[in-house]
Amino acid sequence: MSASFPTALAFAPDGRLFWAERTGTVKVWQGGAAHTFATVPASTSGERGLLGLALTPSFASDHLVYAFYSRSDDTTQQRIVRWTDCGGTATNYQVIVDNLPAGTSGNHKGGRIAFSPDGYLFATIGDNGVPDAAQDNCDARGKVLRFTASGQQAGGICGAVFAKGLRNPFGLAIAPDGTVAVTNNGPSRDNGIDCNACGDIFDIVGRDPGKVFQWPNCWGYNHQVSGRPSCAGMQGPNYSTEGGPYAKSDPYFIAPTGLTYANGHWLFCVNGSDKVYQYNFQGNVSDTGLGACWLDIKQATDGHLYTSSQNAITRH
């Protein structure tokens, strides 16, 4: 089906598909057609926008829909909001988390949200183009954050901070056992690193708070950035592209984005190749053969995978 830059997908237990469009519209497919569920005043400057969408694990009883967006009234801030779904119409709008950083530069906003099986709300924030912020315990930039469903901080490191040391985590998913994972975009000639798309990576964050990843001290598999401290004791990636192509037949493996856990595997989109890749638990990934995956991927209640590209949502 056609869609306008569908950044994030989410399925309700009854099979309905909700999706977020970057310009600020949340839509739902029901009764054989797309309907506008809600709108938010999102800024689309740089990499800002309506970037994340999630339904609660208890959606069948509480009907709660959450979204993450960059505020148009203050482009340096982002927020998480929620509505109650009433037959495809949004009611009871609430701001759950406010004043999350979006920075003054155009890049690295993060913006993904997901619920753990026990009801915690996770969110990702990129470093906003300020690499040193990623290692600051109490700065939200370059982090995985954890909140209660009502927006209370529940991180474990400091405030809402659950894990730190990430450049731009633009994919977030949680397995049925509560294991958190992210895709994380590596440096592209920034921070004094002279290479392009260095170490786009996949990270398993785990179930417990406290993981310290390596940005900006290192990129990829423990490559120390000139002039930076050692990465000793920090967590390296589960998979890194190492600044080169994934394979000779696929020279555009850059910028991993949407991530999900389905059929016992982590699956993620790559906007450089518009493909779906699978992490194989031995430190490597493989091309699944699926395409049209530029922004997000989710599994429907009937087992089919759905992917989103810039102008469409595709059923596989």
Side-chain angles (χ1 to χ4, degrees), residues 62-115:
D62 62 31
H63 313 293
L64 294 177
V65 179
Y66 288 66
F68 181 114
Y69 75 93
S70 312
R71 292 167 46 183
S72 62
D73 62 335
D74 180 352
T75 57
T76 65
Q77 302 293 330
Q78 305 184 104
R79 63 168 43 146
I80 301 172
V81 298
R82 77 180 180 191
W83 304 268
T84 302
D85 168 49
C86 184
T89 299
T91 62
N92 192 29
Y93 170 84
Q94 295 177 287
V95 177
I96 299 302
V97 181
D98 208 358
N99 301 323
L100 293 171
T104 56
S105 76
N107 301 325
H108 310 169
K109 309 309 171 193
R112 299 303 199 176
I113 56 175
F115 276 95

Side-chain angles (χ1 to χ4, degrees), residues 21-315:
E21 297 186 339
R22 185 188 176 209
T23 53
T25 302
V26 179
K27 292 190 174 181
V28 58
W29 182 270
Q30 63 182 44
H35 302 272
T36 296
F37 174 76
T39 59
V40 293
S43 167
T44 56
S45 171
E47 295 177 356
R48 299 175 179 89
L50 173 52
L51 302 173
L53 188 70
L55 311 185
T56 59
S58 51
F59 181 85
S61 59
D62 62 31
H63 313 293
L64 294 177
V65 179
Y66 288 66
F68 181 114
Y69 75 93
S70 312
R71 292 167 46 183
S72 62
D73 62 335
D74 180 352
T75 57
T76 65
Q77 302 293 330
Q78 305 184 104
R79 63 168 43 146
I80 301 172
V81 298
R82 77 180 180 191
W83 304 268
T84 302
D85 168 49
C86 184
T89 299
T91 62
N92 192 29
Y93 170 84
Q94 295 177 287
V95 177
I96 299 302
V97 181
D98 208 358
N99 301 323
L100 293 171
T104 56
S105 76
N107 301 325
H108 310 169
K109 309 309 171 193
R112 299 303 199 176
I113 56 175
F115 276 95
S116 60
D118 56 358
Y120 282 105
L121 173 64
F122 286 76
T124 64
I125 304 285
D127 69 9
N128 287 190
V130 184
D132 286 334
Q135 289 296 333
D136 185 327
N137 281 352
C138 298
D139 190 315
R141 294 173 292 183
K143 308 297 194 298
V144 175
L145 308 176
R146 183 174 67 172
F147 304 93
T148 66
S150 60
Q152 301 302 305
Q153 296 181 342
I157 293 179
C158 176
V161 175
F162 185 83
K164 68 176 187 175
L166 301 165
R167 181 176 177 269
N168 189 31
F170 198 52
L172 169 68
I174 304 176
D177 68 355
T179 299
V180 179
V182 296
T183 57
N184 187 23
N185 298 165
S188 298
R189 300 188 183 279
D190 62 341
N191 202 31
I193 301 169
D194 188 22
C195 63
N196 191 38
C198 302
D200 284 325
I201 62 181
F202 169 77
D203 293 315
I204 294 179
V205 180
R207 289 179 285 182
D208 299 317
K211 281 282 180 69
V212 179
F213 293 96
Q214 298 178 339
W215 182 252
N217 295 353
C218 295
W219 65 268
Y221 291 128
N222 311 310
H223 304 299
Q224 189 170 352
V225 177
S226 178
R228 290 282 178 177
S230 166
C231 290
M234 296 181 176
Q235 179 69 41
N238 292 85
Y239 174 76
S240 167
T241 58
E242 289 302 277
Y246 161 72
K248 290 182 179 179
S249 61
D250 185 1
Y252 302 110
F253 183 87
I254 55 173
T257 55
L259 173 70
T260 196
Y261 187 89
N263 303 324
H265 290 280
W266 301 102
L267 304 171
F268 58 90
C269 301
V270 174
N271 75 9
S273 62
D274 209 26
K275 293 182 178 181
V276 178
Y277 291 87
Q278 173 179 293
Y279 176 68
N280 293 322
F281 294 97
Q282 292 87 33
N284 62 78
V285 301
S286 59
D287 183 347
T288 65
L290 301 178
C293 196
W294 207 81
L295 294 165
D296 201 12
I297 177 170
K298 290 292 185 293
Q299 188 171 37
T301 53
D302 64 3
H304 285 279
L305 291 170
Y306 282 69
T307 59
S308 65
S309 55
Q310 294 186 65
N311 301 303
I313 298 171
T314 302
R315 179 176 183 261

